[in-house]
């Protein structure tokens, strides 16, 4: 939803396994991907815990940033995704949600706890998923049971935009990480037993970078119920710019101390890349794109990405006509848009293209020289001094968070 704020000058800007599987243990044990989510334990209770900115090249006032930390969270399970989808049908990818925290409870997370987490300051959005450890190809694998149309937004952009994967998931097939596919020698289209409370034969629908430490298997909610995965066992939280140490403590307090584990997904060791060093998340995209402009810090791109679209969350057309995760005007895009992912087209809506295009635009405006030149380059991106100050302050916050 577009929000507007009236500034002092009067301008309006947009702010824009065979046994019951019941609990994830986020220990130092590694799984197929080398992550930190260990195999799930069994026989626990499952009772619910209830306790735009203006586009580059546009006049000032044509758009503006969404206030960092503004309460625009979408309640998990509420409207915002697509429900009642026919078998094999899934909503198209429209936005990316960068996950910052993954919390796994000892029991199912109830609606009251979910609401409390989504209402925390700086939490933009949260999603609850089922989970459990299953046996696949003779190995124990951590699995999530998800609603494909909503969950795809929480995966790396390159995976999220693959309609074939999510349609397969919606058609009761399973999807695995690229590492699991290689390690277990799985072949797309073949059928395998997935053993938890039951051991049904399920067809593999594909593989991709999931972006989740230690989670190597996705099934849809129907299949998860059939296998015996625990519903609403984990919650993923998007909180761009938040102090994740403090936020982790608050989430843990809400869920209770009994068996709750919280992973900071921002930590550098969790920022995995896909095959050939391909970035799989927005932070990786910012870091890689900044390398094309010597002297430009990736934190500036991250700040612009957050202000312009909350890292792809509000990538639709602005009132000024800007589009995409970095909110380019079409005319500016024609001059600076690049093909960042090698698919032979520069797509204004594709973060793999939009982020390096923003780096190119900033670099052409002198951002790599720093100092006043950086200020002027950000001003060129959006002709408003308050916007430049917001970007530079947020960039400093990213630098502190990831130093």
């Amino acid at each position: 939803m577009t929000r507007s704020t009236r500034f002092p000058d009067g301008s309006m800007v947009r702010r824009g396994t065979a046994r019951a599987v019941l609990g994830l243990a986020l220990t130092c044990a590694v799984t197929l991907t080398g992550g930190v989510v260990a195999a799930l334990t069994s026989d626990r209770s499952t009772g619910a815990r209830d306790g735009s900115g203006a586009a580059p090249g546009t006049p000032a006032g044509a758009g503006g940033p969404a206030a960092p930390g503004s309460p625009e969270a979408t309640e998990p399970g509420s409207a915002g995704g697509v429900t009642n989808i026919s078998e094999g049908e899934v909503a198209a990818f429209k936005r990316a949600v960068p996950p910052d925290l993954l919390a796994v409870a000892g029991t199912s997370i109830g609606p009251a706890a979910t609401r409390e987490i989504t209402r925390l300051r700086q939490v933009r959005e949260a999603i609850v998923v089922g989970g459990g450890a299953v046996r696949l190809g003779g190995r124990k694998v951590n699995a999530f049971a998800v609603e494909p149309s909503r969950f795809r937004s929480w995966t790396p952009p390159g995976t999220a935009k693959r309609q074939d994967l999510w349609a397969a998931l919606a058609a009761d097939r399973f999807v695995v990480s690229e590492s699991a596919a290689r390690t277990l020698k799985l072949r797309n289209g073949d059928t395998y037993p997935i053993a938890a409370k039951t051991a049904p034969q399920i067809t593999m629908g594909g593989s991709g970078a999931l972006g989740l430490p230690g989670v190597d298997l996705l099934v849809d909610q129907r299949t998860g119920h059939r296998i015996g995965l625990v519903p609403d066992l984990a919650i993923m939280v998007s909180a761009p710019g938040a102090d994740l140490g403090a936020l982790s403590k608050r989430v843990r307090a809400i869920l209770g101390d009994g068996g709750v584990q919280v992973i900071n997904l921002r930590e550098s060791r969790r920022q995995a890349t896909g095959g050939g060093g391909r970035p799989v998340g927005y932070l990786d995209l910012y870091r890689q794109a900044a390398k094309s402009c010597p002297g430009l810090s990736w934190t500036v791109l991250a700040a612009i990405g957050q202000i312009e679209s909350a890292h792809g969350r509000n990538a639709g057309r602005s009132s000024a006509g800007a589009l995409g995760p970095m909110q380019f005007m079409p005319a500016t895009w024609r001059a600076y848009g690049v093909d960042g992912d090698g698919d032979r087209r520069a797509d204004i809506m594709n973060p793999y293209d939009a982020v390096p295009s923003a780096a190119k635009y900033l670099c052409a405006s002198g951002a790599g020289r720093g100092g006043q030149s950086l200020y002027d380059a950000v001003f060129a991106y959006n002709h408003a001094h308050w916007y430049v100050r917001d970007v530079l302050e947020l960039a400093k916050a990213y630098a502190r968070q990831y130093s």
Side-chain angles (χ1 to χ4, degrees):
M1 179 178 68
T2 298
R3 295 175 179 269
S4 296
T5 300
R6 185 173 295 277
F7 283 83
D9 63 1
S11 60
M12 292 292 293
V13 297
R14 181 169 59 82
R15 289 279 196 189
T17 64
R19 303 184 66 191
V21 179
L22 305 177
L24 281 165
L26 308 187
T27 69
C28 292
V30 298
T31 61
L32 292 171
T33 60
V36 298
V37 182
L40 295 160
T41 58
S42 63
D43 297 334
R44 291 193 201 163
S45 167
T46 58
R49 189 185 300 275
D50 203 20
S52 186
T58 60
S70 60
E72 297 179 16
T74 299
E75 180 181 336
S78 67
V82 175
T83 57
N84 299 322
I85 297 173
S86 301
E87 181 174 279
E89 295 179 0
V90 65
F93 174 56
K94 295 182 178 179
R95 63 188 180 91
V97 181
D100 295 301
L101 287 181
L102 168 63
V104 183
T107 62
S108 292
I109 301 170
T114 298
R115 285 193 296 271
E116 192 171 354
I117 290 173
T118 60
R119 290 170 181 168
L120 290 173
R121 192 173 73 88
Q122 294 188 308
V123 169
R124 284 293 189 119
E125 191 166 354
I127 187 169
V128 176
V129 300
V134 302
R135 191 161 292 278
L136 171 65
R139 296 282 294 274
K140 194 173 285 186
V141 177
N142 289 312
F144 274 175
V146 305
E147 198 288 294
S149 288
R150 290 195 64 222
F151 189 76
R152 68 185 303 177
S153 295
W154 293 78
T155 61
T159 301
K161 70 177 185 178
R162 288 185 53 189
Q163 189 76 3
D164 61 316
L165 284 184
W166 303 100
L169 202 62
D172 298 321
R173 299 190 172 201
F174 71 87
V175 170
V176 294
S177 68
E178 293 168 334
S179 175
R182 289 192 303 268
T183 302
L184 301 179
K185 296 180 173 58
L186 305 174
R187 295 192 304 180
N188 189 22
D190 284 359
T191 299
Y192 303 89
I194 298 181
K197 293 179 71 174
T198 62
Q201 296 279 339
I202 302 175
T203 301
M204 178 175 166
S207 64
L210 303 184
L212 297 168
V215 177
D216 289 294
L217 174 68
L218 298 180
V219 294
D220 72 355
Q221 293 171 335
R222 291 185 301 256
T223 303
H225 177 75
R226 184 156 57 110
I227 295 172
L229 299 184
V230 182
D232 300 339
L233 187 67
I235 185 167
M236 295 173 66
V237 176
S238 178
D243 179 342
L244 293 189
L247 182 59
S248 295
K249 292 179 181 178
R250 290 194 288 269
V251 170
R252 189 187 303 277
I254 292 170
L255 296 179
D257 293 329
V260 176
Q261 300 289 326
V262 181
I263 290 179
N264 178 344
L265 296 175
R266 284 190 199 157
E267 293 181 13
S268 59
R269 66 177 179 272
R270 315 211 194 283
Q271 298 300 323
T273 56
R278 178 185 175 91
V280 298
Y282 268 95
L283 292 187
D284 282 328
L285 283 170
Y286 299 136
R287 289 187 176 106
Q288 179 168 294
K291 294 177 182 178
S292 69
C293 182
L296 174 64
S297 172
W298 69 268
T299 61
V300 174
L301 289 172
I304 291 175
Q306 177 175 326
I307 290 172
E308 293 292 349
S309 72
H311 310 304
R313 182 170 184 261
N314 301 309
R317 185 180 297 275
S318 74
S319 58
L323 285 169
M326 303 304 280
Q327 289 290 283
F328 273 91
M329 289 294 289
T332 308
W333 180 260
R334 286 193 289 271
Y336 291 94
V338 302
D339 172 16
D341 59 2
D343 65 356
R344 299 185 179 181
R345 64 187 296 256
D347 183 354
I348 198 171
M349 300 301 294
N350 180 355
Y352 282 104
D353 298 341
V355 173
S357 298
K360 178 181 178 181
Y361 184 89
L362 289 167
C363 206
S365 301
R369 295 193 292 271
Q372 185 62 42
S373 294
L374 173 60
Y375 189 101
D376 293 342
V378 178
F379 186 85
Y381 207 96
N382 181 356
H383 305 315
H385 292 289
W386 59 262
Y387 177 86
V388 180
R389 290 191 293 269
D390 281 358
V391 166
L392 297 181
E393 284 301 313
L394 189 54
K396 291 178 183 177
Y398 274 108
R400 289 192 298 269
Q401 179 71 34
Y402 293 96
S403 61

